[in-house]
Amino acid sequence: MARARLTADEVACWVLKAAADVPELVGAQPGEPVTLRRCVHPTYRLGLVVPRQPVLLWRSGPSAGVRAAGEVVSAPADGVVTVRLRPLAHPVPRVQLLGDARFRAAEVVRVPVGSNPSYLTAAQLAAVAERLAPAEAALLPAAAPVRGVAVR
């Protein structure tokens, strides 16, 4: 049976996946804001993406996990979304997140080859946030306009 369409109520955070290091982030210091544009697949989901929503960068492959955190800068246009990301000093490895029952069903785990953007629910985002250093958890917008979901 096909899954129903994703709704704004389900999205606590957007996830952008990268199969390799993102050139704009190479050399950036942890916590240093880097604004970049990422390609996104043209689906109905793009209508749910709005500025100030939290966004994570997920590095796929053998060293998979969360590498950067930040927020959406502008809504997608012409297949591209602009985000402001800050590299994490201590990335959160996929293997560590799989140890948390809340995260195991995350779309980025279930469908690792899926297109951008992916998403996390509030519980899945909490599993990530709990593994971040306090200063890094602060990189996630506290007052994201995502139907009242609070990260902290």
Side-chain angles (χ1 to χ4, degrees), residues 21 30 57-59 63-69 86-97 128 131-133 136:
D21 289 333
L57 178 69
W58 178 269
R59 171 76 153 76
S63 59
V66 177
R67 296 299 183 88
R86 296 170 189 262
L88 300 176
H90 307 287
V92 182
R94 176 184 184 270
V95 67
Q96 191 179 91
L97 289 164
V128 173
R131 287 164 174 78
L132 297 174
E136 293 179 332

Coordinates of all heavy atoms in Angstrom, one line a residue, residues 21 30 57-59 63-69 86-97 128 131-133 136:
D21 N 31.9 14.6 0.4 CA 32.1 15.8 1.1 C 31.5 17.0 0.3 O 31.7 17.0 -1.0 CB 33.5 16.1 1.4 CG 34.1 15.2 2.5 OD1 33.3 14.7 3.4 OD2 35.3 14.9 2.5
P30 N 34.3 24.2 12.4 CA 33.0 23.8 13.1 C 32.3 25.0 13.6 O 32.9 25.9 14.2 CB 33.5 22.9 14.3 CG 34.8 22.3 13.8 CD 35.4 23.4 12.9
L57 N 22.6 18.1 7.3 CA 23.3 17.5 6.2 C 23.7 16.1 6.6 O 24.4 15.9 7.6 CB 24.6 18.3 5.9 CG 25.4 17.7 4.7 CD1 24.6 17.8 3.4 CD2 26.7 18.4 4.6
W58 N 23.3 15.2 5.8 CA 23.5 13.7 6.1 C 24.5 13.3 5.0 O 24.3 13.4 3.8 CB 22.2 13.0 5.9 CG 22.4 11.5 6.1 CD1 22.6 10.6 5.1 CD2 22.3 10.8 7.3 NE1 22.7 9.3 5.7 CE2 22.5 9.4 7.0 CE3 22.0 11.1 8.6 CZ2 22.4 8.4 8.0 CZ3 21.9 10.1 9.6 CH2 22.1 8.8 9.3
R59 N 25.7 12.8 5.5 CA 26.7 12.2 4.6 C 26.4 10.8 4.5 O 26.3 10.1 5.5 CB 28.1 12.5 5.2 CG 29.2 11.7 4.5 CD 29.6 12.4 3.2 NE 30.9 12.2 2.8 CZ 31.4 11.1 2.3 NH1 30.7 10.0 2.2 NH2 32.7 11.1 2.0
S63 N 30.9 6.2 6.0 CA 31.0 7.1 7.2 C 29.7 7.9 7.3 O 29.7 9.1 7.7 CB 32.2 8.0 7.1 OG 32.1 8.8 5.9
A64 N 28.5 7.3 7.1 CA 27.3 8.0 7.1 C 27.0 8.6 8.5 O 27.3 8.1 9.5 CB 26.1 7.0 6.7
G65 N 26.2 9.7 8.4 CA 25.8 10.4 9.6 C 25.5 11.8 9.4 O 25.7 12.3 8.3
V66 N 25.2 12.5 10.5 CA 24.9 14.0 10.4 C 26.2 14.7 10.5 O 27.0 14.5 11.5 CB 24.0 14.4 11.6 CG1 23.7 15.9 11.6 CG2 22.6 13.6 11.5
R67 N 26.5 15.6 9.5 CA 27.7 16.3 9.4 C 27.6 17.8 9.7 O 28.6 18.5 10.0 CB 28.4 16.1 8.1 CG 28.8 14.7 7.7 CD 29.8 14.2 8.7 NE 30.3 12.9 8.4 CZ 31.3 12.7 7.6 NH1 32.0 13.6 7.0 NH2 31.7 11.4 7.5
A68 N 26.4 18.3 9.5 CA 26.2 19.8 9.7 C 24.8 20.1 10.0 O 23.9 19.2 9.7 CB 26.6 20.5 8.4
A69 N 24.5 21.2 10.7 CA 23.2 21.6 11.1 C 23.0 23.0 10.8 O 23.9 23.8 10.8 CB 23.0 21.3 12.6
R86 N 26.2 24.8 9.4 CA 27.4 24.9 10.2 C 27.9 23.5 10.5 O 27.2 22.7 11.0 CB 27.1 25.6 11.5 CG 26.6 27.0 11.4 CD 26.0 27.6 12.7 NE 25.4 28.9 12.5 CZ 25.9 30.1 12.7 NH1 27.2 30.1 13.1 NH2 25.2 31.2 12.5
P87 N 29.2 23.3 10.0 CA 29.7 21.9 10.2 C 29.8 21.6 11.7 O 30.1 22.5 12.6 CB 31.1 22.0 9.6 CG 31.1 23.2 8.7 CD 30.1 24.2 9.3
L88 N 29.6 20.3 12.0 CA 29.6 19.9 13.4 C 31.1 19.5 13.8 O 31.8 18.8 13.0 CB 28.7 18.7 13.6 CG 27.3 18.9 13.3 CD1 26.5 17.6 13.5 CD2 26.7 19.9 14.2
A89 N 31.5 19.9 15.0 CA 32.8 19.5 15.4 C 32.8 18.0 15.7 O 33.8 17.3 15.5 CB 33.2 20.2 16.7
H90 N 31.7 17.5 16.1 CA 31.5 16.0 16.4 C 30.3 15.5 15.6 O 29.2 15.5 16.2 CB 31.3 15.9 17.9 CG 32.4 16.5 18.7 ND1 33.7 16.0 18.8 CD2 32.4 17.6 19.5 CE1 34.4 16.8 19.6 NE2 33.7 17.8 20.0
P91 N 30.5 15.1 14.4 CA 29.4 14.5 13.6 C 28.8 13.3 14.3 O 29.4 12.7 15.2 CB 30.1 14.0 12.3 CG 31.4 14.9 12.2 CD 31.8 15.1 13.6
V92 N 27.5 13.1 14.1 CA 26.8 12.0 14.7 C 26.7 10.9 13.7 O 26.0 10.9 12.7 CB 25.4 12.5 15.1 CG1 24.6 11.4 15.8 CG2 25.4 13.7 16.0
P93 N 27.4 9.8 14.0 CA 27.5 8.6 13.1 C 26.1 7.9 13.0 O 25.4 7.8 14.0 CB 28.5 7.7 13.7 CG 29.2 8.5 14.8 CD 28.3 9.6 15.2
R94 N 25.9 7.4 11.8 CA 24.6 6.6 11.6 C 24.5 5.5 12.5 O 23.5 5.2 13.1 CB 24.7 6.1 10.1 CG 23.5 5.2 9.7 CD 23.8 4.7 8.3 NE 22.7 3.8 7.9 CZ 22.6 2.5 8.0 NH1 23.6 1.9 8.6 NH2 21.5 1.9 7.6
V95 N 25.6 4.8 12.7 CA 25.6 3.6 13.6 C 25.2 4.0 15.0 O 24.4 3.2 15.7 CB 27.0 2.9 13.6 CG1 28.1 3.7 14.3 CG2 26.9 1.5 14.3
Q96 N 25.6 5.1 15.5 CA 25.1 5.6 16.8 C 23.6 5.9 16.8 O 22.9 5.5 17.8 CB 25.9 6.9 17.2 CG 25.8 7.3 18.6 CD 26.6 8.5 18.9 OE1 26.1 9.6 18.8 NE2 27.9 8.3 19.3
L97 N 23.1 6.5 15.8 CA 21.7 6.8 15.7 C 20.9 5.5 15.5 O 19.7 5.5 16.0 CB 21.4 7.7 14.5 CG 21.9 9.2 14.7 CD1 22.0 9.9 13.4 CD2 21.1 9.9 15.8
V128 N 18.7 12.9 17.3 CA 19.9 13.5 16.8 C 20.4 14.6 17.8 O 21.5 14.7 18.2 CB 19.7 14.2 15.4 CG1 20.9 15.0 15.0 CG2 19.4 13.1 14.4
R131 N 22.4 13.9 20.9 CA 23.7 13.4 20.6 C 24.7 14.5 20.2 O 25.9 14.3 20.0 CB 23.7 12.3 19.6 CG 23.2 11.0 20.1 CD 22.8 10.0 19.1 NE 22.4 8.8 19.7 CZ 21.2 8.5 20.2 NH1 20.3 9.5 20.3 NH2 20.9 7.4 20.8
L132 N 24.2 15.7 20.1 CA 25.0 16.9 19.8 C 25.5 17.6 21.1 O 24.8 17.6 22.1 CB 24.2 17.9 19.0 CG 23.7 17.5 17.7 CD1 22.8 18.6 17.1 CD2 24.8 17.2 16.7
A133 N 26.6 18.1 21.0 CA 27.1 19.0 22.1 C 26.1 20.1 22.3 O 25.5 20.5 21.3 CB 28.5 19.5 21.8
E136 N 26.4 22.7 19.7 CA 25.9 22.3 18.3 C 24.4 22.1 18.3 O 23.8 22.4 17.2 CB 26.7 21.0 18.0 CG 28.1 21.2 17.8 CD 28.9 20.0 17.4 OE1 28.5 18.9 17.8 OE2 30.0 20.1 16.8

